[in-house]
Amino acid sequence: MDRIDRNILAELQKDGRLSVTELAERVGLSLSPCHRRVRALEDSGVLLGYRAQLDPVALGLNFSAMVFATLREGDHAAVEAFEAALVQIPQIVDAQRLFGEPDYLLHVITQDLPAFQRLYDDSLSTLPNVQRLTSTLVMKRVVQDRLLPL
């Protein structure tokens, strides 16, 4: 990956809706070489995709919590079962496996506190192999969706 590829990625991180023509202009390439480079970045897996960024509050999703999960057992089958179950809960918008304790950090977004309580009682607390769940409420998002440093 060279400087031009990094410039392409930087521009697409800022605005994924750029046309290839606009992108080529911004990075100083003609249309065909720019298109080939974008396609190569997609094919190599560096450029994963394009999507719209939504405002949860504008959609009525006003409640955000971080949930820490500790598993009873850490064997391969237990971890796989837990992670497969996480994928099935759409209110979990981010899930990270951690070193040490707790084992997982889950970012959960719901409409309000009662919706979170229902989700916690009906889904989160019944996840396979869970020993302990601990939650903390998000007061304010300070840094979010930061562009990757290129």
Side-chain angles (χ1 to χ4, degrees), residues 73-135:
E73 298 174 22
D75 63 88
H76 184 71
V79 167
E80 275 193 349
F82 179 79
E83 290 181 0
L86 290 182
V87 173
Q88 302 304 313
I89 303 172
Q91 295 88 343
I92 299 174
V93 297
D94 190 31
Q96 299 175 33
R97 186 173 179 194
L98 309 174
F99 280 108
E101 283 195 30
D103 296 308
Y104 288 86
L105 170 61
L106 315 175
H107 184 188
V108 177
I109 295 181
T110 63
Q111 183 178 11
D112 52 24
L113 178 60
F116 175 73
Q117 181 182 353
R118 283 190 303 277
L119 179 74
Y120 190 97
D121 293 344
D122 298 342
S123 298
L124 300 179
S125 65
T126 65
L127 286 165
N129 197 37
V130 169
Q131 176 181 338
R132 181 176 54 255
L133 295 174
T134 307
S135 301

Side-chain angles (χ1 to χ4, degrees), residues 36-87:
R36 278 194 301 274
R37 283 178 178 258
V38 169
R39 184 66 48 112
L41 290 165
E42 291 169 346
D43 292 344
S44 71
V46 172
L47 189 51
L48 296 176
Y50 307 86
R51 65 186 182 113
Q53 186 176 347
L54 307 178
D55 179 1
V57 173
L59 294 168
L61 300 169
N62 299 303
F63 189 86
S64 183
M66 305 308 285
V67 178
F68 302 95
T70 302
L71 303 184
R72 273 190 292 277
E73 298 174 22
D75 63 88
H76 184 71
V79 167
E80 275 193 349
F82 179 79
E83 290 181 0
L86 290 182
V87 173

